[in-house]
Amino acid sequence: MQSQCDLRGLWLLLLSLFLLLFEVARAGRPVVSCPPACLCASNILSCSKQQLPNVPLSLPSYTALLDLSHNNLSRLRAEWTPTRLTHLHSLLLSHNHLNFISSEAFSPVPNLRYLDLSSNQLRTLDEFLFSELQALEVLLLYNNHIMAVDRYAFDDMAQLQKLYLSQNQISRFPLELVSERAKLPKLTLLDLSSNKLKNLPLSDLQKLPAWIKNGLYLHNNPLECNCKLYQLFSHWQYRQLSSVMDFQEDLYCVRSKELHNVFNLSFLNCSEYKESAWEAHLGETFTIKCDTKLANLRAPGL
């Protein structure tokens, strides 16, 4: 009699577990435990500093933040996660050994908004590399070994607001990122400091609206000293743009292998910068263009 009761109790327990698993699966929440090398807190997975050579398998589909920084990852292939992580908004991959990223690597994370790839070993940014990340707002690529940036590397990233490319080996200024507003219409910060830029498209940069120049950081580059460069940065200084005011001492140029601060080029006899002035007489129509440091600002009634 006791044996029959025990069997009946065991059968009811197994049935209850089966029904529970069925309900969870039916609700669309896969039964996936926390990966062994990670710490999990609700929808946050921290797998940092575990010397991981590969991304852990079977990541929960409800993961919102995934920290894989400070590991030994060298390649991010298309199949790095078999699970489509549609809830993931932040992916941290800094301080690894990444030297290859597949053009399909970001297909499983279409809603990513923050991506940190800093302090890796990336050398090139190929075309359409980030085109799957149409919701991305912040992209960190500083402290890599990037020498070449394809003109189409950042296509289809209409939501991108901040792009950090400092501390690399970039020698060509990617003018298309700031001049073609249809490419990155919301970009307000582009950090190209501490690279190998020698020449800038000065005339094109001068034509940019102030709210773009305000977030265009170019300090610590071996720029060629000339009067046009002095005029450009003197104008930005006059306008109190953050990209110049925050790093005045680090804005230098090179002349005969010597470094000079761009605001102290007396040896070139450059004419002093003066803001343009307009004159209008009573009864004349006069239109003033508002070139503000704030993006998308509209005057009342316009």
Side-chain angles (χ1 to χ4, degrees), residues 74-301:
S74 60
R75 303 173 73 83
L76 197 65
R77 302 179 184 276
E79 64 278 6
W80 67 273
T81 171
T83 306
R84 187 170 171 83
L85 304 175
T86 56
H87 297 283
L88 192 70
H89 61 70
S90 299
L91 178 57
L92 313 181
L93 288 161
S94 64
H95 295 278
N96 276 280
H97 305 289
L98 289 173
N99 55 55
F100 170 79
I101 299 179
S102 168
S103 59
E104 300 176 359
F106 301 113
S107 296
V109 290
N111 299 315
L112 204 63
R113 299 197 302 272
Y114 184 96
L115 175 59
D116 188 355
L117 290 166
S118 64
S119 299
N120 277 288
Q121 298 176 11
L122 299 174
R123 294 187 177 277
T124 61
L125 300 179
D126 298 328
E127 62 177 354
F128 310 123
L129 179 59
F130 303 105
S131 61
E132 299 283 350
L133 299 175
Q134 298 182 12
L136 197 70
E137 298 174 359
V138 180
L139 176 55
L140 287 72
L141 286 159
Y142 64 83
N143 195 31
N144 275 275
H145 305 291
I146 300 170
M147 301 178 64
V149 179
D150 190 273
R151 295 178 181 274
Y152 305 102
F154 302 103
D155 274 22
D156 301 321
M157 301 185 72
Q159 301 302 316
L160 190 64
Q161 300 173 22
K162 299 181 180 181
L163 176 56
Y164 297 86
L165 286 165
S166 63
Q167 301 176 60
N168 280 289
Q169 301 178 41
I170 300 170
S171 58
R172 181 191 73 85
F173 181 85
L175 180 64
E176 65 276 0
L177 298 183
V178 291
S179 63
E180 301 173 16
R181 298 311 301 158
K183 183 182 289 288
L184 298 174
K186 294 188 177 182
L187 189 69
T188 58
L189 188 149
L190 175 58
D191 188 356
L192 286 164
S193 63
S194 302
N195 274 283
K196 294 190 175 182
L197 297 173
K198 294 183 179 181
N199 297 291
L200 298 175
L202 300 174
S203 298
D204 294 303
L205 294 182
Q206 191 67 281
K207 297 175 185 177
L208 295 174
W211 63 270
I212 295 179
K213 293 184 287 191
N214 189 60
L216 181 54
Y217 292 88
L218 297 166
H219 55 279
N220 284 332
N221 274 289
L223 302 170
E224 180 182 336
C225 293
N226 58 64
C227 289
K228 288 187 176 181
L229 183 72
Y230 165 77
Q231 292 284 334
L232 177 76
F233 286 125
S234 294
H235 180 209
W236 293 17
Q237 185 185 50
Y238 178 85
R239 292 295 309 275
Q240 299 283 296
L241 300 183
S242 298
S243 54
V244 166
M245 300 306 295
D246 295 346
F247 297 95
Q248 293 188 69
E249 296 181 358
D250 297 318
L251 269 169
Y252 60 79
C253 58
V254 179
R255 176 84 167 195
S256 301
K257 297 184 179 180
E258 293 185 5
L259 299 181
H260 302 272
N261 187 278
V262 295
F263 302 110
N264 186 20
L265 301 181
S266 55
F267 60 92
L268 290 179
N269 296 318
C270 299
S271 58
E272 184 179 350
Y273 172 78
K274 292 183 179 180
E275 189 74 11
S276 301
W278 292 271
E279 184 177 294
H281 300 280
L282 185 64
E284 294 180 346
T285 300
F286 187 65
T287 302
I288 299 177
K289 181 182 178 182
C290 183
D291 187 20
T292 175
K293 293 187 289 184
L294 301 178
N296 302 318
L297 187 66
R298 296 288 185 271

Side-chain angles (χ1 to χ4, degrees), residues 32-38 45 47 52 54-60 68 79-83 85:
V32 178
S33 61
C34 184
C38 305
L45 270 68
C47 313
L52 298 174
N54 298 295
V55 178
L57 297 176
S58 302
L59 297 172
L68 290 164
E79 64 278 6
W80 67 273
T81 171
T83 306
L85 304 175

